[in-house]
């Protein structure tokens, strides 16, 4: 566990106008993030030194904002918290402008490629294109690494002034093992002369290497991406393993291609038009006020308002004055100003003239653990809530070949239950989830599937006629749901709706399954379907926030 004083990023005395509840709430989010995304309230109490009543108020407020879930004994970070990091990445624009080049470079080299920016005397990742191997890169978007143990670090340190080098030395003295960098293993104190020499070489060469500094076996090569005025805006880094490359062979083999990719990134960056100012976000002060009236002392309005200030930024809103923040949130200008002063003190915003900008530190609020979420993990709490409402099992599935494969499931507790486990596969044509997934395919692809693999009967009621099955799929596509009655198994009835990603593509389906004696077909539509659609709407909302800058695996 990092030393407590190192968890406070601010170096200056606490301002008189600082909002204490906001500081405490952010401390809780940081601690839960560093512990992997889940902690018990008692563990939060011990780790932060806050009173249990304060922890309970903070977690209740964050739960009301849907930034955490309080599940039994644990407080778990929720996908909606990623809207804060998304605000920073959107305002920065670099992942949107340059991410495709990083992805293409990873495909070309068959190695993991990262984009990183400087954050104090560390580097923080803003984009990852990871190759999946038995030994693969485990760093996440938002992870913070010490500059002296990375390839991008010397390139950033090459431009440090005397005060920045002094801050680095002070951090080394206070935390010689680098415990504050929770994404990296502890390490022996670095040699200052060696890091200074690496920074000088990076300044001269225009690239830098990491030869197993962050972890034994990992080697990396980094080059800068510069703005039109020559300033480093981000670093592109290729990471490999010593089973594939030495640091020298990584440089000798890949450097020309990495330099070419960085040059292409710079061209796109220089040609990119300024972001258009979007419509102002909906004011949030009325929502926080209503929550306070409803929950009373259980809702900390100062914390909620401070966090909504972060969410006000975004593309076209990368620089905001306190007056603009007040208009965007609906807060009083004095309230917005106090929140900005607090966030600046903590290092989450920085002031340039009269305008404020988000810093990479915003990504420390939940983004690293949440960025690894899969669709089944996103869906699981919503499946559980749906099962609790309808008292029947709910499942998530994807299309695999001609089958549906169950990837998530919450079973109800009954004497007579639908007994299916995650990983189970069934013929798609005879299931409700398969029907909505097949219905989303282009008609030509559907027909080729049926021609290649003729549907077979599983019960006397299974639809087999291509014409009838085609009409059934057309109806499912038009209605937005499918209802299957005893076609997979006699006595089994289910209703399903599709799950759409941010682009509107159907990526999965959710169903509720039951014994045919428990509900009529009409009751499936009138009683179950509305709740099923609401649950899927919540899954899609979480999915769309998560996948804005992250690939979300369907399985």
């Amino acid at each position: 566990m990092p030393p407590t004083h190192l968890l406070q990023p601010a170096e200056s005395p606490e301002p008189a106008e600082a909002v204490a509840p906001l500081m405490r709430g952010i401390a809780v989010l940081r601690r839960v993030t560093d512990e992997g995304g889940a902690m018990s309230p008692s563990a939060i109490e011990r780790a932060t030194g806050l009173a249990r009543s304060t922890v309970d108020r903070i977690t209740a407020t964050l739960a009301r904002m849907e930034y955490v879930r309080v599940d039994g004994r644990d407080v778990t970070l929720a996908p909606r918290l990623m809207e804060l990091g998304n605000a920073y990445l959107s305002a920065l624009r670099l992942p949107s402008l340059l991410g495709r080049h990083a992805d293409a470079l990873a495909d070309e080299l068959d190695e993991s490629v990262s984009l990183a920016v400087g954050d104090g005397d560390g580097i923080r990742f803003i984009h990852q294109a990871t190759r999946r191997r038995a030994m693969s890169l485990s760093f996440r978007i938002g992870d913070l690494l010490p500059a002296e143990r990375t390839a991008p670090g010397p390139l950033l340190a090459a431009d440090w002034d005397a005060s920045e080098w002094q801050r680095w030395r002070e951090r080394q003295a206070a935390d010689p093992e680098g415990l504050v960098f929770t994404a990296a293993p502890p390490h022996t104190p670095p040699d200052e002369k060696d890091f200074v020499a690496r920074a000088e070489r990076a300044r001269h060469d225009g690239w830098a290497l990491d030869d197993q500094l962050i972890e034994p076996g990992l080697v990396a090569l980094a080059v800068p991406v510069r703005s039109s005025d020559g300033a480093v805006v981000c670093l592109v880094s290729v990471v490999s393993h010593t089973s594939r490359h030495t640091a020298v062979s990584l440089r000798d083999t890949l450097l020309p291609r990495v330099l070419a990719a960085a040059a292409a990134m710079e061209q796109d960056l220089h040609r990119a038009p300024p972001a258009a100012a979007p419509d102002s976000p909906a004011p949030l002060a009325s929502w926080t006020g209503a929550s306070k009236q409803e929950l009373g002392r259980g809702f900390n309005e100062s914390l909620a308002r401070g966090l909504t200030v972060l969410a006000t930024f975004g593309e076209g809103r990368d620089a905001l004055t306190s007056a603009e923040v007040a208009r965007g949130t609906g807060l009083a200008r004095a309230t917005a100003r106090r929140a900005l002063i607090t966030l600046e003190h903590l290092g989450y915003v920085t002031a340039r003239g009269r305008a404020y900008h988000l810093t990479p530190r915003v990504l420390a609020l939940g983004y690293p653990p949440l960025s690894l979420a899969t669709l089944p993990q996103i869906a699981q709490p919503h499946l559980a809530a749906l099962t609790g409402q309808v008292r029947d099992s709910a499942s998530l599935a994807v299309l695999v070949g001609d089958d549906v494969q169950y990837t998530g499931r919450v079973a109800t507790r009954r004497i007579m239950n639908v007994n299916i486990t995650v990983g189970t596969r069934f013929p798609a044509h005879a299931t409700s989830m398969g029907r909505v997934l097949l219905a989303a395919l282009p008609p030509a692809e559907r027909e080729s599937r049926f021609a290649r693999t003729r549907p077979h009967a599983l019960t006397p009621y299974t639809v087999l006629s291509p014409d009838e099955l085609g009409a059934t799929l057309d109806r499912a596509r038009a209605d937005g749901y499918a209802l299957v009655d005893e076609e997979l198994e006699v006595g089994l009835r289910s209703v399903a709706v599709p799950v759409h990603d941010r682009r509107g593509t159907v990526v999965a389906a959710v169903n509720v399954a039951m014994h045919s004696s428990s509900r009529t077909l009409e009751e499936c539509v009138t009683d179950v379907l509305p709740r099923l659609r609401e649950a899927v709407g919540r899954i899609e909302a979480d999915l769309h926030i998560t996948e804005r800058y992250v690939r979300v695996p369907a399985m």
Side-chain angles (χ1 to χ4, degrees):
M1 181 180 296
T4 303
H5 70 280
L6 292 174
L7 295 174
Q8 304 302 324
E11 299 172 353
S12 56
E14 182 179 314
E17 296 177 274
V19 182
L22 177 57
M23 296 177 67
R24 291 192 287 264
I26 284 178
V28 168
L29 285 174
R30 285 291 299 269
R31 176 56 78 182
V32 179
T33 298
D34 289 344
E35 292 297 324
M39 288 182 77
S40 69
S42 58
I44 295 172
E45 180 185 359
R46 290 192 300 271
T48 61
L50 297 173
R52 178 57 183 267
S53 59
T54 301
V55 170
D56 289 343
R57 286 190 69 202
I58 289 171
T59 56
T61 301
L62 295 173
R64 178 71 169 192
M65 300 181 76
E66 298 181 17
Y67 284 175
V68 304
R69 295 189 180 97
V70 182
D71 303 320
R73 297 174 58 185
D74 282 338
V75 176
T76 305
L77 301 181
R80 187 166 179 178
L81 179 60
M82 294 180 76
E83 72 180 7
L84 303 182
N86 286 346
Y88 164 72
L89 295 172
S90 178
L92 186 67
R93 298 182 70 199
L94 293 181
S96 298
L97 292 173
L98 309 182
R100 65 183 182 87
H101 291 291
D103 296 343
L105 183 62
D107 290 339
E108 177 189 353
L109 304 181
D110 194 26
E111 300 287 357
S112 295
V113 174
S114 305
L115 297 180
V117 294
D119 185 0
D121 63 355
I123 64 122
R124 202 177 289 275
F125 295 111
I126 61 169
H127 182 84
Q128 291 282 11
T130 303
R131 315 311 291 171
R132 294 190 176 276
R133 295 195 178 98
M135 298 185 66
S136 60
L137 184 71
S138 62
F139 296 129
R140 308 157 297 184
I141 294 176
D143 271 337
L144 179 69
L145 298 181
E148 66 274 10
R149 293 173 59 192
T150 68
L155 290 160
L156 291 172
D159 292 333
W160 284 356
D161 59 22
S163 64
E164 289 170 310
W165 277 106
Q166 182 58 30
R167 281 197 294 271
W168 178 80
R169 294 184 185 98
E170 290 172 356
R171 192 257 296 166
Q172 296 297 323
D175 181 26
E177 293 185 311
L179 298 179
V180 72
F181 297 95
T182 57
H187 200 261
T188 55
D191 183 280
E192 180 178 338
K193 291 182 179 179
D194 177 68
F195 185 42
V196 171
R198 290 178 64 214
E200 287 299 323
R201 285 199 303 273
R203 186 203 313 276
H204 176 269
D205 296 338
W207 50 266
L209 289 175
D210 161 15
D211 189 358
Q212 306 183 73
L213 292 173
I214 197 68
E215 187 171 273
L218 283 183
V219 291
L221 164 70
V223 302
V225 177
R226 299 182 183 275
S227 62
S228 56
D229 62 2
V232 175
V233 295
C234 70
L235 295 306
V236 55
S237 175
V238 178
V239 183
S240 188
H241 192 268
T242 50
S243 60
R244 296 171 59 83
H245 282 285
T246 65
V248 172
S249 73
L250 194 69
R251 176 200 65 195
D252 294 345
T253 307
L254 305 185
L255 181 58
R257 285 182 279 182
V258 181
L259 288 170
M265 292 181 186
E266 289 176 347
Q267 288 181 357
D268 276 8
L269 191 63
H270 302 166
R271 288 196 298 256
D279 295 335
S280 296
L284 297 167
S286 59
W287 177 86
T288 61
S291 296
K292 180 66 174 178
Q293 285 187 338
E294 180 180 342
L295 300 180
R297 287 182 53 80
F299 184 80
N300 194 315
E301 193 171 10
S302 295
L303 168 58
R305 288 179 168 181
L307 293 177
T308 61
V309 166
L310 293 175
T312 307
F313 292 80
E315 186 168 355
R317 298 191 300 273
D318 59 311
L320 297 175
T321 65
S322 58
E324 289 169 333
V325 169
R327 285 196 298 271
T329 57
L331 297 172
R333 185 168 177 176
T335 302
R337 180 175 173 275
R338 287 189 65 203
L340 287 166
I341 289 172
T342 306
L343 293 168
E344 184 181 18
H345 170 66
L346 295 174
Y348 295 93
V349 302
T350 184
R352 301 174 198 161
R354 295 176 57 245
Y356 292 87
H357 303 254
L358 296 183
T359 73
R361 191 164 289 160
V362 174
L363 294 173
L365 301 179
Y367 219 91
L370 290 171
S371 69
L372 295 183
T374 64
L375 180 54
Q377 290 169 335
I378 291 170
Q380 193 69 11
H382 302 295
L383 296 179
L386 176 61
T387 295
Q389 289 176 342
V390 300
R391 305 298 181 190
D392 277 304
S393 301
S395 303
L396 176 79
V398 296
L399 193 62
V400 179
D402 297 318
D403 297 334
V404 290
Q405 180 170 331
Y406 283 67
T407 56
R409 180 166 171 79
V410 175
T412 189
R413 293 183 179 178
R414 284 186 172 180
I415 295 175
M416 185 168 60
N417 193 18
V418 179
N419 186 21
I420 300 169
T421 59
V422 170
T424 299
R425 291 171 64 157
F426 290 124
H429 70 277
T431 66
S432 60
M433 290 190 287
R435 294 266 174 94
V436 295
L437 292 169
L438 291 171
L441 299 176
E445 184 175 346
R446 265 196 257 154
E447 292 175 7
S448 67
R449 282 172 177 264
F450 295 155
R452 183 181 69 250
T453 306
R454 288 286 182 182
H456 57 282
L458 298 167
T459 75
Y461 309 106
T462 307
V463 173
L464 298 177
S465 163
D467 290 341
E468 186 178 356
L469 190 54
T472 300
L473 296 180
D474 289 340
R475 187 164 58 251
R477 186 184 185 106
D479 294 343
Y481 74 94
L483 179 59
V484 169
D485 186 28
E486 299 189 288
E487 295 188 44
L488 178 66
E489 183 176 324
V490 174
L492 180 63
R493 182 173 291 162
S494 67
V495 58
V497 299
V499 177
H500 301 83
D501 65 11
R502 280 179 62 87
R503 297 174 298 278
T505 302
V506 173
V507 293
V510 174
N511 84 342
V512 173
M514 69 210 78
H515 193 272
S516 57
S517 63
S518 63
R519 285 187 180 90
T520 65
L521 292 174
E522 181 179 358
E523 287 171 336
C524 288
V525 175
T526 59
D527 298 348
V528 177
L529 182 58
R531 290 177 173 149
L532 174 58
R533 282 177 162 155
E534 289 174 3
V536 169
R538 291 189 290 271
I539 293 171
E540 290 179 340
D542 282 354
L543 174 62
H544 298 173
I545 289 173
T546 306
E547 66 179 349
R548 184 167 182 185
Y549 294 105
V550 173
R551 290 189 181 92
V552 177
M555 301 173 63

